[in-house]
């Protein structure tokens, strides 16, 4: 018998995506978190790796440089095309799936554009964009799909302006980006979507070279620090990351608050609560509900187990953000919860580059919506709202509302 | 209370500037931490502790 890398995985679990209750992570994750800090996880491509669910373990993995984020080393925990996507070649510039020092070079070039101070300067503009969309929604009259009318266009408009991507092309890049993030989409479809997105952005980058504007991509082109291919990769990462995530937080956050009228009123009426509520919704909802993953570059001893070089650990941010060792009453949505570290934006060197933008967008978007439509309510029973269990980023596909 | 910041380790997440703007700022181009006050007064202690706790890269060190 020849030795294969596939060992019997009788004791291994598979990563759950089906939820018992739409706003809570799958119950299995909570049960496993109580049982052990690390479990063997069977990946769809046959890999036998690990699953971490406790706050301390997840944070330890994300902070440890012996764990790599390189795309070509990883195994994907769920999805139809997991095997093919493990070998999908990402273009240079998609620095999320790189390690230091390569990662550091890109992050340094961009980080100055996303500082707390710079993001605060965008507040009035974001507020105007939000007000404009809400007026359009009011003019069209009830009912509305909040995702299409508000939650998706707002962050999309903001990231387009920031990057210098023409918003009129949004149908095209939103479609490609949705295909890329769909768990049940096939590999051919995903590769075609990535190619489409990259071709579109490569054209745009060339255009910025000839006719620079007052935007982030033009600024990056002007510094001359990146090749055209790298610029395209950077643009792709920022565009996809910049609107899918915040859009889902706005829609899912609204869906959540609509089921808790007392907390909704506090977010609407008290600016201090709006600030703490944003952090709490980020923690409670943790829309990056699958992974991320990290792969050991060498044998690592962690929480009493040995993770061998080459083994992939899936860290459940959603489970860690409900860990009772770290949070009092973790399953309760407390919109006045005092600020404490959570993992909704990840941890370590890859922690979300755009998190300060996301915070500001949410802090503006939620109260603005609730104030403009004080009678906002669901237009269907909560059980009929289609949940994004089939997407890499959790949320609602549609949110039918009326007022 | 003494605080130190390692700009080589910093990844410019901005959590320090968000939580304790009296003590931390961010570099205009690189976004990395700029330490405004290495010996912050006692009334800022809670904010500084929170900033250190929330730093994702481990760039901040606290000596109390």
């Amino acid at each position: 018998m020849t030795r294969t890398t596939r060992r019997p995985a009788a004791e291994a679990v598979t990563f759950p995506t089906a939820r018992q209750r739409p706003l809570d992570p799958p119950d299995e994750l909570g049960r496993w978190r109580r049982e052990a800090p690390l479990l063997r996880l069977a990946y769809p491509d046959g890999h036998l790796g690990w699953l971490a669910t406790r706050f301390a373990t997840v944070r330890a993995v994300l902070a440890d440089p012996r764990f790599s984020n390189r795309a070509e080393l990883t195994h994907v925990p769920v999805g139809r095309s997991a095997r093919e996507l493990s070998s999908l070649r990402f273009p240079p510039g998609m620095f999320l799936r790189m390690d230091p020092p390569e990662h550091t070079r890109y992050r340094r070039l961009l980080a100055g554009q996303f500082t707390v101070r710079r993001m605060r300067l965008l507040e009035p503009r974001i507020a105007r964009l939000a007000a404009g969309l809400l007026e359009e929604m009011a003019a069209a009259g009830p009912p509305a799909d909040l995702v299409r009318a508000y939650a998706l266009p707002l962050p999309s408009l903001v990231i387009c302006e920031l990057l210098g991507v023409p918003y009129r092309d949004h149908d095209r890049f939103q479609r490609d980006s949705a295909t890329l993030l769909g768990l049940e989409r096939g590999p051919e479809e995903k590769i075609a979507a990535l190619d489409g997105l990259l071709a579109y952005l490569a054209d745009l980058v060339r255009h910025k070279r000839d006719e620079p504007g007052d935007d982030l991509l033009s600024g990056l082109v002007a510094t001359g620090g990146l090749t055209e291919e790298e610029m395209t990769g950077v643009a792709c990462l920022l565009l996809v990351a910049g609107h899918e995530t915040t859009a889902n937080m706005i829609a899912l956050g609204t869906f959540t608050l609509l089921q808790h009228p007392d907390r909704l009123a506090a977010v609407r009426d008290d600016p201090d609560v709006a600030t703490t509520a944003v952090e709490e919704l980020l923690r409670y909802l943790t829309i990056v509900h699958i992974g991320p993953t990290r792969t050991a570059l060498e044998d690592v001893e962690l929480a009493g187990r040995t993770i061998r070089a080459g083994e992939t650990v899936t860290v459940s941010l959603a489970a860690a953000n409900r860990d009772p060792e770290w949070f009092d009453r973790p399953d309760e949505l407390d919109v006045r919860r005092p600020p404490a570290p959570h993992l909704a934006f990840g941890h370590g060197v890859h922690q979300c580059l755009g998190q300060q933008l996301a915070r500001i967008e949410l802090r503006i978007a939620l109260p603005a919506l609730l104030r403009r439509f004080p009678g906002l309510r669901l237009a269907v029973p909560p059980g009929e709202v289609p949940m994004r269990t089939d997407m890499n980023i959790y949320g609602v596909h549609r949110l039918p509302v009326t007022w | 209370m003494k605080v130190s910041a390692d700009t080589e380790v910093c990844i410019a997440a901005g959590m320090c500037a968000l939580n304790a703007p009296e003590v931390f700022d961010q570099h205009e181009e690189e976004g990395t931490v700029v330490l405004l006050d290495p010996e912050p007064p006692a009334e800022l202690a809670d904010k500084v502790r929170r900033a250190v706790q929330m730093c994702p890269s481990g760039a901040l060190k606290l000596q109390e």
Side-chain angles (χ1 to χ4, degrees):
Chain A
M1 284 286 286
T2 49
R3 218 179 113 93
T4 68
T5 53
R6 284 193 207 181
R7 283 171 289 163
E11 85 282 25
V13 298
T14 54
F15 193 89
T17 53
R19 296 180 175 219
Q20 292 76 15
R21 296 163 307 285
L23 301 182
D24 293 321
D27 285 341
E28 295 91 320
L29 291 173
R31 198 166 65 237
W32 297 336
R33 187 186 55 226
R34 284 189 290 280
E35 286 169 8
L38 284 167
L39 275 94
R40 296 311 311 241
L41 183 70
Y43 290 69
D45 65 357
H47 178 69
L48 183 60
W50 300 87
L51 171 66
T53 47
R54 290 184 186 169
F55 191 97
T57 321
V58 167
R59 212 155 76 144
V61 170
L62 294 177
D64 191 331
R66 293 173 297 174
F67 287 104
S68 168
N69 201 20
R70 278 159 55 196
E72 69 274 21
L73 299 180
T74 202
H75 299 272
V76 182
V78 288
R80 187 152 89 77
S81 41
R83 187 190 297 257
E84 290 83 355
L85 287 182
S86 294
S87 59
L88 182 66
R89 277 169 47 83
F90 287 96
M94 295 269 241
F95 60 98
L96 177 59
R97 303 313 303 260
M98 291 180 186
D99 293 337
E102 292 82 12
H103 163 265
T104 319
R105 181 177 146 243
Y106 294 101
R107 178 131 187 163
R108 282 278 155 91
L109 274 173
L110 290 164
Q113 305 291 325
F114 291 92
T115 59
V116 172
R117 195 171 338 112
R118 279 197 198 221
M119 295 303 101
R120 286 213 175 112
L121 294 175
L122 299 177
E123 276 176 2
R125 179 66 189 145
I126 297 170
R128 272 200 303 281
L129 289 170
L133 289 167
L134 293 171
E135 280 321 307
E136 283 175 33
M137 196 170 126
D145 170 13
L146 193 79
V147 174
R148 290 190 67 89
Y150 187 61
L152 184 56
L154 180 62
S156 201
L157 281 162
V158 172
I159 196 72
C160 281
E161 281 197 11
L162 192 66
L163 294 179
V165 174
Y167 182 72
R168 63 175 178 274
D169 299 334
H170 71 276
D171 278 345
R172 178 177 177 174
F173 55 73
Q174 281 169 359
R175 191 183 56 229
D176 284 340
S177 145
T179 305
L180 268 179
L181 297 176
L183 296 173
E184 299 307 321
R185 299 302 191 91
E188 298 83 11
E189 253 188 307
K190 287 199 172 204
I191 290 164
L194 181 62
D195 286 347
L197 205 49
L198 290 171
Y200 168 73
L201 291 167
D203 274 351
L204 187 70
V205 164
R206 277 191 289 274
H207 177 74
K208 299 282 176 201
R209 183 153 289 157
D210 303 333
E211 288 175 52
D214 181 22
D215 55 62
L216 194 153
L217 290 181
S218 297
L220 268 185
V221 169
T223 62
L226 297 175
T227 66
E228 210 164 275
E229 205 184 10
E230 288 175 316
M231 285 281 314
T232 305
V234 166
C236 187
L237 176 60
L238 297 186
L239 184 61
V240 174
H243 68 270
E244 283 280 351
T245 46
T246 314
N248 282 296
M249 272 307 300
I250 294 172
L252 188 61
T254 304
F255 179 51
T256 306
L257 291 173
L258 286 172
Q259 293 173 68
H260 298 284
D262 54 328
R263 282 159 259 193
L264 181 146
V267 172
R268 183 187 58 211
D269 300 332
D270 184 337
D272 288 342
V273 174
T275 302
T276 51
V278 164
E279 292 305 314
E280 176 67 346
L281 287 166
L282 286 163
R283 177 197 74 85
Y284 183 78
L285 298 172
T286 313
I287 56 170
V288 179
H289 64 139
I290 300 164
T293 58
R294 293 292 186 270
T295 302
L297 293 169
E298 57 185 85
D299 292 0
V300 177
E301 302 287 331
L302 182 70
R305 307 294 295 261
T306 304
I307 295 165
R308 300 279 174 208
E311 290 181 339
T312 292
V313 186
T314 294
V315 296
S316 172
L317 302 179
N321 271 342
R322 298 288 189 101
D323 186 345
E325 292 285 313
W326 276 81
F327 302 100
D328 286 338
R329 303 163 285 110
D331 294 321
E332 191 183 308
L333 177 76
D334 175 0
V335 291
R336 292 183 174 83
R337 192 182 287 274
H342 61 71
L343 297 168
F345 292 114
H347 183 69
V349 298
H350 292 286
Q351 195 184 54
C352 180
L353 175 70
Q355 60 179 295
Q356 306 304 350
L357 175 59
R359 283 192 170 93
I360 281 172
E361 289 181 301
L362 292 170
R363 217 178 53 224
I364 292 171
L366 290 170
L369 168 71
L370 302 174
R371 278 200 288 268
R372 181 65 186 78
F373 300 105
L376 192 75
R377 59 190 190 278
L378 289 177
V380 297
E384 286 177 23
V385 173
M387 306 307 296
R388 290 171 48 112
T389 44
D390 59 333
M391 302 298 285
N392 251 312
I393 308 290
Y394 192 63
V396 294
H397 282 292
R398 291 181 296 284
L399 191 64
V401 291
T402 188
W403 56 89
Chain B
M1 166 181 270
K2 278 187 188 168
V3 65
S4 62
D6 185 338
T7 52
E8 286 303 305
V9 173
C10 176
I11 55 138
M15 294 311 288
C16 55
L18 183 72
N19 283 287
E22 303 87 344
V23 181
F24 307 99
D25 197 355
Q26 289 179 273
H27 187 273
E28 191 63 34
E29 272 95 50
E30 298 202 332
T32 45
V33 57
V34 175
L35 190 55
L36 302 174
D37 184 356
E39 293 187 33
E43 65 265 26
L44 293 176
D46 281 351
K47 283 182 161 189
V48 173
R49 270 187 221 110
R50 195 186 304 150
V52 173
Q53 209 185 14
M54 289 197 183
C55 173
S57 66
L60 303 179
K61 293 278 176 290
L62 194 61
Q63 232 187 311
E64 301 217 36

